[in-house]
Amino acid sequence: MTVFFCAKCGSELTSDLAKLPFVPEVSDRDVDRDKETRLAPSAVSRGHYAIDPEPWGAPFVPPAGEPRPHNPRQLLMPPELTDWTSAGTRNTVVVHPDDVPALRLLDQRGRHRGCCGPLGTGGRNMACGCGALVATLAADCMGPYELHLDPVRVYAFDTKGSEA
């Protein structure tokens, strides 16, 4: 079991989470969305985390000429960034958004906000109580529903006594 902390102030951000071997596949079918919020299922279930080895989030780079294959975890992009790909941080820690209740969402208006919530395309948008931006939430009804902890701005502690 692992607990994640803010690297700036040392505040505990999560309770004990169990590590998954990879980021699970997630459905983007309408029938699997929450009936009230219209959010897709979270990529990671409550009480767990996974390390995403792929680049995720901002910054983005122009398309390389080949179309991107469909991926249910692919971020919904603002119109001017359609088909751009992530050149963001690798090895982000993907957690269920409800497993990090101490974080607060910064007000993100404009092109990085969808009709129902943040797209996750504007960079880190979740702050620790100390003000440090430590995570990115993607929570618009048309995109993925997941929270990525920045591996540079958080640290993990194995509750059995050794750092993870």
Side-chain angles (χ1 to χ4, degrees):
M1 300 297 278
T2 302
V3 176
F4 291 91
F5 296 86
C6 173
K8 181 177 180 184
C9 72
S11 292
E12 185 175 305
L13 300 175
T14 70
S15 58
D16 280 335
L17 301 177
K19 185 175 183 178
L20 298 172
F22 54 86
V23 181
E25 300 261 337
V26 66
S27 171
D28 63 347
R29 299 175 343 162
D30 272 349
V31 70
D32 295 326
R33 292 183 175 279
D34 182 275
K35 303 303 179 229
E36 289 181 32
T37 65
R38 300 293 302 142
L39 291 173
S42 179
V44 174
S45 60
R46 299 244 7 221
H48 295 85
Y49 76 96
I51 305 297
D52 188 352
E54 297 299 319
W56 194 88
F60 295 92
V61 294
E66 294 182 20
R68 293 187 300 177
H70 175 71
N71 174 354
R73 293 184 55 239
Q74 184 171 297
L75 291 172
L76 181 66
M77 301 296 280
E80 65 275 12
L81 297 178
T82 300
D83 293 328
W84 285 44
T85 57
S86 174
T89 305
R90 290 181 180 271
N91 300 314
T92 58
V93 181
V94 185
V95 298
H96 191 288
D98 293 341
D99 280 337
V100 195
L103 297 183
R104 70 180 191 284
L105 179 64
L106 298 182
D107 184 26
Q108 279 199 323
R109 297 176 195 228
R111 69 185 191 146
H112 296 291
R113 181 161 181 88
C115 61
C116 296
L119 300 175
T121 57
R124 292 180 310 278
N125 59 8
M126 298 289 284
C128 174
C130 72
L133 291 170
V134 296
T136 304
L137 175 66
D140 184 62
C141 63
M142 296 304 293
Y145 179 52
E146 47 190 66
L147 181 68
H148 288 249
L149 300 175
D150 187 314
V152 174
R153 289 167 173 77
V154 302
Y155 66 92
F157 185 78
D158 181 335
T159 56
K160 289 188 171 97
S162 62
E163 287 203 26

